[in-house]
């Protein structure tokens, strides 16, 4: 059966329509106290004014029209006119015993995420995109979407003219890794700024690159390959779902760019401005009221970030046949995406049947509350942060006396899980402070807390040494609360797929783990007997499954012991 909450909501809506001819969201909420049943709605109170009737009378009429006897005990009216609903325990037990499953929806979603830049280290912003993007891919696949991942790597543009020229000036045969590439990048920048002769050569080199000159391409390819190797290493460490096959960098759209310009010209959307080709869209103006252009082709004939993104939209709709396109990118690029989506729609590349969404996120801050940088002002290396997190996790496990043989792999799961969970658990549009102490803590809304809840359940179930059992007894209110929350897993995941807000899943899992603690306190499991014991074990097994699946959707490993 499906989650009960949406079913009950629908029944209430129907009753309201039948009784009063109104279509309303009953805003069904969990009851605040066990004596109020499981859910309550204030629908009657909200209707008092429009209907000009007393809430208790409205509630009574509502209940008369409400058909829920297959799910609930008879509804009651309480206080000033709340309608209370209490599920039958057999219904609740059945909901836990046969959890909701999603069928394929026959819709395709493209998720553009991670997107590091060639010849530069990945920074914490790329961590955010990678972690959030990955969680969203998992969630979307879980609820039945076909997911196509696209790693829109920054591998194109004017900086590669400088890089190639600098490499030729120095020693084209020098060995390169990401670290030395970054150095090369910095030297090329300085060279570019100090020598107009070098600047001219760099510009000519970009033209050679973009027009396919073989020697230039080979040098560029080497830089791309060197960078991707290191990105892959980091992806493996993070345990992301991205593969080399998902890399479709900016360069992949190079051949389509002239055609993009032709299409836009034919549609009358381009204006020449200072030698550049620009699109001026209604509604896009700067603070001073001046129009904000999308620069499609620069005055030197080169294409930039916007042109590539336009080609990408076109490709994702035409070739990948996406119904939904999601861009997991820093919130500071919000305007860019609004412009791209508006222009793509105007050009007819983004039909109304495809939704493009910018999933923005805030900035990672250092302990000083400023954007996270090293003392010398460089970007903080992701690999270093992960090392530190694993170190903390190791210390934590040493303290706890975790099993020595698997301690190293558990520390990986806990350290990296802690960093990921901290990123996912706050509303993504907010900034957050990168504080390892808080992330790797065993208490509070943290990854380790949830991993521990899962590991403890694993141990308990192993100790019980019983085969699979079913939930049959739900007498204690806390057992009922646990069952209700377990039943809400599917609808929570569905909500995350809709709102693209992973922190809702984190909040749900944290609440579940908190209820589990209350359940342990009030309902002995291993020392209880007979059907009660079997039923409680089944509740524990279901909770373990939901915690494991939920963490899995967030991209976090749930070790069996901690
Ligand atoms: N590489 C860019 C950056 O590091 C992000 C790319 C975002 N994706 C896109 N389709 N524009 O800022």
């Amino acid at each position: 059966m499906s989650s009960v909450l949406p079913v009950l909501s629908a029944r209430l809506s129907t009753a309201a329509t039948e009784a009063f001819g109104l279509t309303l969201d009953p805003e069904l909420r969990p009851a605040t106290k066990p004596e109020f049943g499981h859910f309550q709605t204030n629908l009657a109170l909200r209707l008092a004014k429009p209907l000009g009737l007393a809430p208790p009378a409205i509630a009574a009429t509502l209940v008369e029209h409400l058909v829920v006897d297959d799910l609930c005990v008879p509804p009651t009216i309480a206080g000033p006119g709340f309608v209370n609903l209490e599920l039958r325990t057999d219904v609740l037990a059945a909901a836990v015993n046969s959890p909701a499953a999603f069928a394929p929806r026959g819709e395709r979603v493209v998720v553009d995420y991670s997107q590091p830049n060639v010849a530069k280290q990945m920074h914490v912003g790329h961590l955010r995109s990678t972690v959030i993007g990955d969680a969203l891919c998992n969630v979307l696949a879980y609820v039945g979407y076909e997911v196509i991942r696209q790693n829109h790597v920054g591998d194109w543009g004017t900086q590669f003219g400088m890089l190639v020229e600098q490499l030729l000036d120095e020693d084209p045969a020098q060995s390169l890794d990401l670290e030395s590439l970054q150095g090369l990048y910095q030297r090329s920048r300085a060279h570019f700024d100090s020598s107009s002769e070098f600047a001219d050569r760099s510009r000519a080199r970009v033209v050679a690159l973009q027009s396919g000159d073989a020697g230039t391409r080979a040098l560029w390819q080497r830089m791309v390959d060197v960078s991707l190797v290191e990105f892959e290493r980091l992806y493996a460490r993070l345990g992301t779902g991205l593969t080399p096959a998902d890399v479709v960098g900016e360069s992949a759209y190079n051949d389509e760019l002239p055609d993009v310009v032709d299409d836009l010209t034919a549609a009358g959307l381009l204006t020449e401005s200072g030698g550049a080709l620009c699109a001026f869209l209604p509604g896009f103006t700067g603070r001073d009221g001046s129009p904000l252009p999308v620069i499609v082709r620069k005055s030197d004939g080169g294409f930039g970030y916007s042109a590539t993104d336009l080609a990408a939209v076109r490709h994702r709709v035409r070739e990948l046949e996406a119904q939904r396109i999601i861009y997991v990118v820093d919130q500071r690029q919000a305007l860019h995406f609004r412009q791209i989506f508006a222009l793509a729609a105007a050009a007819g590349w983004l039909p109304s049947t495809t939704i493009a969404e910018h999933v923005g996120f805030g900035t990672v801050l250092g302990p000083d509350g400023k954007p996270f940088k090293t003392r010398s002002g460089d970007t903080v290396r992701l690999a270093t942060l992960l090392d530190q997190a694993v170190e903390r996790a190791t210390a934590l496990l040493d303290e706890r006396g975790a099993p020595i043989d698997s301690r190293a792999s558990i520390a990986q799961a806990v350290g990296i899980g802690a960093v990921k969970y901290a990123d996912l658990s706050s509303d993504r549009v907010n900034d957050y402070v990168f504080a390892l102490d808080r992330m790797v803590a065993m208490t509070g809304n943290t990854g380790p807390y949830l991993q521990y809840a899962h590991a403890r359940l694993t141990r308990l179930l192993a100790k019980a040494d019983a085969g699979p059992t079913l939930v049959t007894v739900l007498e204690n209110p806390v057992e009922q609360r646990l069952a209700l929350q377990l039943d809400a897993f599917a609808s929570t995941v569905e909500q995350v797929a809709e709102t693209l807000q992973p922190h809702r899943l984190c909040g749900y899992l944290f609440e579940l783990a908190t209820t589990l603690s209350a359940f342990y306190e009030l309902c002995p499991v291993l020392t209880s007997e007979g059907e009660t014991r079997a039923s409680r074990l089944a509740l524990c097994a279901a909770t373990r499954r939901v915690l494991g699946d939920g963490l899995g959707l967030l991209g976090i490993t749930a070790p069996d012991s901690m």
Side-chain angles (χ1 to χ4, degrees):
M1 78 167 281
S2 62
S3 304
V4 288
L5 181 66
V7 177
L8 283 182
S9 287
R11 299 276 183 94
L12 271 163
S13 290
T14 308
T17 310
E18 279 175 8
F20 310 112
L22 295 169
T23 315
L24 286 157
D25 179 356
E27 294 178 17
L28 203 54
R29 299 265 181 272
T32 46
K33 288 189 189 146
E35 55 267 36
F36 296 153
H38 298 133
F39 300 106
Q40 65 189 167
T41 171
N42 64 357
L43 198 57
L45 295 141
R46 281 188 278 135
L47 284 176
K49 221 181 196 165
L51 294 179
L53 294 167
I58 300 174
T61 313
L62 197 61
V63 167
E64 259 169 52
H65 286 83
L66 186 60
V67 186
V68 286
D69 44 351
D70 56 332
L71 301 170
C72 298
V73 304
T76 57
I77 298 164
F82 290 104
V83 176
N84 296 336
L85 297 173
E86 181 178 329
L87 288 173
R88 285 177 6 206
T89 50
D90 61 316
V91 171
L92 197 47
V96 178
N97 291 329
S98 52
F102 292 91
R105 30 172 112 202
E107 267 181 70
R108 199 173 284 172
V109 56
V110 165
V111 185
D112 176 328
Y113 72 106
S114 191
Q115 321 119 333
N117 300 314
V118 163
K120 289 193 197 153
Q121 301 278 1
M122 275 169 92
H123 56 66
V124 278
H126 298 119
L127 169 79
R128 293 217 71 183
S129 178
T130 306
V131 170
I132 297 169
D134 228 36
L136 292 179
C137 286
N138 295 336
V139 163
L140 290 161
Y142 188 87
V143 304
Y145 279 97
E146 188 193 336
V147 176
I148 300 184
R149 294 162 151 89
Q150 298 277 283
N151 190 355
H152 195 84
V153 170
D155 60 359
W156 211 233
T158 47
Q159 69 272 31
F160 290 98
M162 299 175 346
L163 275 161
V164 168
E165 275 308 307
Q166 186 69 25
L167 189 63
L168 287 169
D169 276 14
E170 292 180 6
D171 170 15
Q174 67 179 284
S175 86
L176 290 175
D177 59 13
L178 198 50
E179 187 86 47
S180 53
L181 263 180
Q182 184 140 325
L184 189 77
Y185 184 85
Q186 277 152 7
R187 289 195 297 281
S188 72
R189 260 244 90 91
H191 203 168
F192 188 92
D193 292 338
S194 65
S195 157
S196 62
E197 179 264 338
F198 180 80
D200 287 342
R201 277 198 278 134
S202 298
R203 287 195 197 97
R205 188 58 71 180
V206 182
V207 177
L209 176 66
Q210 298 199 332
S211 56
D213 173 68
T216 307
R217 279 286 181 125
L219 291 172
W220 165 81
Q221 189 67 52
R222 225 182 114 209
M223 301 185 200
V224 172
D225 292 345
V226 161
S227 305
L228 288 182
V229 165
E230 262 175 80
F231 299 155
E232 287 304 327
R233 203 174 296 150
L234 219 97
Y235 291 153
R237 251 200 112 182
L238 278 172
T240 73
L242 278 171
T243 69
D246 302 320
V247 173
V248 185
E250 294 179 23
S251 62
Y253 301 100
N254 187 52
D255 295 345
E256 292 172 36
L257 301 180
D259 199 44
V260 162
V261 170
D262 290 347
D263 271 15
L264 291 174
T265 308
L269 288 162
L270 293 184
T271 314
E272 209 190 299
S273 170
L277 287 179
C278 302
F280 292 94
L281 295 162
F284 289 94
T285 47
R287 274 209 197 114
D288 57 357
S290 62
L292 282 177
V294 179
I295 302 173
V296 179
R297 202 179 70 197
K298 293 186 275 187
S299 54
D300 63 5
F303 298 100
Y305 190 55
S306 292
T308 310
D309 260 327
L310 288 167
V313 172
R314 215 174 62 144
H315 175 77
R316 289 163 187 181
V317 174
R318 279 193 198 165
E319 256 72 52
L320 302 181
E321 298 177 8
Q323 275 83 39
R324 207 174 165 185
I325 315 175
I326 291 167
Y327 293 78
V328 188
V329 187
D330 195 311
Q331 189 60 35
R332 286 171 289 197
Q333 294 192 31
L335 173 64
H336 166 75
F337 286 109
R338 275 208 312 277
Q339 288 184 307
I340 294 300
F341 299 162
L343 185 51
W349 298 327
L350 196 56
S352 58
T353 44
T354 302
I355 306 168
E357 293 160 273
H358 172 218
V359 170
F361 50 79
T363 307
V364 182
L365 307 173
D368 56 359
K370 298 203 182 104
F372 205 16
K373 293 265 159 67
T374 62
R375 244 173 253 138
S376 56
D378 293 335
T379 46
V380 182
R381 296 192 50 164
L382 267 182
T384 315
L385 287 181
L386 297 181
D387 287 345
Q388 288 170 354
V390 172
E391 223 169 84
R392 300 268 176 138
T394 307
L396 182 79
L397 294 169
D398 286 345
E399 234 170 75
R400 304 182 54 80
I404 200 87
D405 50 328
S406 46
R407 202 174 287 180
S409 72
I410 301 174
Q412 286 291 332
V414 172
I416 291 180
V419 171
K420 285 182 159 190
Y421 190 85
D423 194 290
L424 293 166
S425 58
S426 63
D427 194 340
R428 59 176 160 73
V429 295
N430 296 336
D431 299 346
Y432 72 87
V433 174
F434 195 93
L436 277 177
D437 277 341
R438 188 175 35 79
M439 295 174 175
V440 193
M442 288 288 295
T443 51
N445 188 9
T446 67
Y449 175 69
L450 294 180
Q451 285 170 322
Y452 175 70
H454 174 271
R456 185 174 170 191
L457 282 167
T458 306
R459 199 177 56 209
L460 180 145
L461 289 163
K463 251 198 205 155
D465 198 24
T469 53
L470 289 176
V471 177
T472 51
V473 186
L474 291 170
E475 274 161 12
N476 193 303
V478 76
E479 289 175 301
Q480 296 179 15
R481 191 143 53 93
L482 195 56
L484 280 168
Q485 283 177 5
L486 290 170
D487 180 56
F489 178 61
S491 56
T492 304
V493 179
E494 201 162 24
Q495 228 181 48
V496 175
E498 237 164 72
T499 61
L500 307 175
Q501 293 177 320
H503 75 277
R504 289 172 184 257
L505 179 55
C506 298
Y508 164 83
L509 292 173
F510 179 56
E511 212 178 296
L512 182 66
T514 310
T515 304
L516 177 69
S517 298
F519 163 80
Y520 283 144
E521 249 166 59
L522 298 169
C523 304
V525 180
L526 292 178
T527 55
S528 61
E529 277 166 17
E531 207 178 327
T532 301
R533 184 178 195 265
S535 180
R536 286 180 180 170
L537 282 173
L539 261 185
C540 287
T543 309
R544 177 179 181 272
R545 197 189 54 238
V546 167
L547 281 173
D549 287 357
L551 286 170
L553 290 176
L554 297 172
I556 296 171
T557 312
D560 279 342
S561 59
M562 251 175 93

